């Protein structure tokens, strides 16, 4: 989000990760994210923007209910050295590369638990959406779904 607010650009993968985090982990209505991107993106295109947000939120023509980008997995695959995250959050440069994605209390207190946990383990599966009770106006599945997937 710092890249987006600073440059007016964010990669497509970044857009999808932000969408997943805001909708799935934070429980924010996808339309708020789409509107924010609309105001910030220099390469804004209504079809691409709203298409990506409806896709990520699991509404519209592709209503897959639980589309989720695991932030730890994405970080491991696409920024294993933590260079990208340290560039946009210079406070993390002093940390070891292994700790840049999960700095713990050395950076800020975690606001919401990630749906699939911080270390790529599935111990927190469902906690964020269960705690909210709803996800953009729909009832979420809750703990029973987590047991089925374990």
């Amino acid at each position: 989000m710092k890249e987006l607010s600073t440059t007016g650009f964010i990669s497509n993968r970044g857009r999808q990760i932000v969408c997943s985090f805001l909708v799935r982990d934070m429980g924010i209505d996808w339309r708020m994210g789409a509107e924010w991107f609309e105001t910030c993106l220099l390469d804004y295109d209504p079809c691409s923007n709203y298409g990506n947000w409806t896709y990520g939120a699991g509404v519209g023509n592709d209503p897959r209910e639980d589309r989720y980008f695991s932030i730890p997995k994405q970080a491991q695959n696409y920024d294993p050295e933590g260079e990208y995250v340290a560039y946009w959050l210079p406070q993390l440069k002093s940390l070891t590369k292994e700790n840049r994605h999960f700095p713990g209390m050395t950076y800020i207190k975690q606001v919401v638990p990630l749906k699939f946990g911080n270390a790529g383990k599935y111990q927190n599966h469902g906690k964020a959406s269960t705690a909210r009770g709803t996800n953009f106006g729909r009832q979420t599945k809750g703990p029973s779904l987590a047991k089925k997937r374990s």
Side-chain angles (χ1 to χ4, degrees), residues 56-71:
V59 298
N61 289 333
D62 183 23
R64 188 172 129 192
E65 192 164 313
D66 201 23
R67 189 173 313 284
Y68 184 76
F69 278 77
S70 167
I71 293 173

Side-chain angles (χ1 to χ4, degrees), residues 89-144:
L89 297 170
Q91 307 90 322
L92 301 179
K93 284 183 182 178
S94 63
L95 298 178
T96 63
K97 292 178 180 182
E98 297 80 31
N99 292 330
R100 286 182 179 170
H101 292 293
F102 306 104
M105 298 300 287
T106 60
Y107 178 57
I108 60 170
K109 183 180 177 199
Q110 187 172 345
V111 178
V112 296
L114 296 179
K115 185 174 184 178
F116 291 110
N118 286 339
K121 296 178 183 168
Y122 295 90
Q123 74 273 14
N124 290 334
H125 179 62
K127 279 189 180 177
S129 59
T130 302
R132 287 189 306 276
T134 62
N135 191 3
F136 49 90
R138 292 191 323 205
Q139 190 66 29
T140 57
K141 297 291 184 197
S144 61

Side-chain angles (χ1 to χ4, degrees), residues 19 21-24 26-36 50 53 57 59 132 134-138:
C19 174
F21 177 74
L22 293 178
V23 171
R24 303 293 178 194
M26 302 243 0
I28 293 174
D29 187 310
W30 68 268
R31 293 168 290 194
M32 291 177 65
E35 288 176 19
W36 174 250
Y50 281 87
W53 280 92
V59 298
R132 287 189 306 276
T134 62
N135 191 3
F136 49 90
R138 292 191 323 205

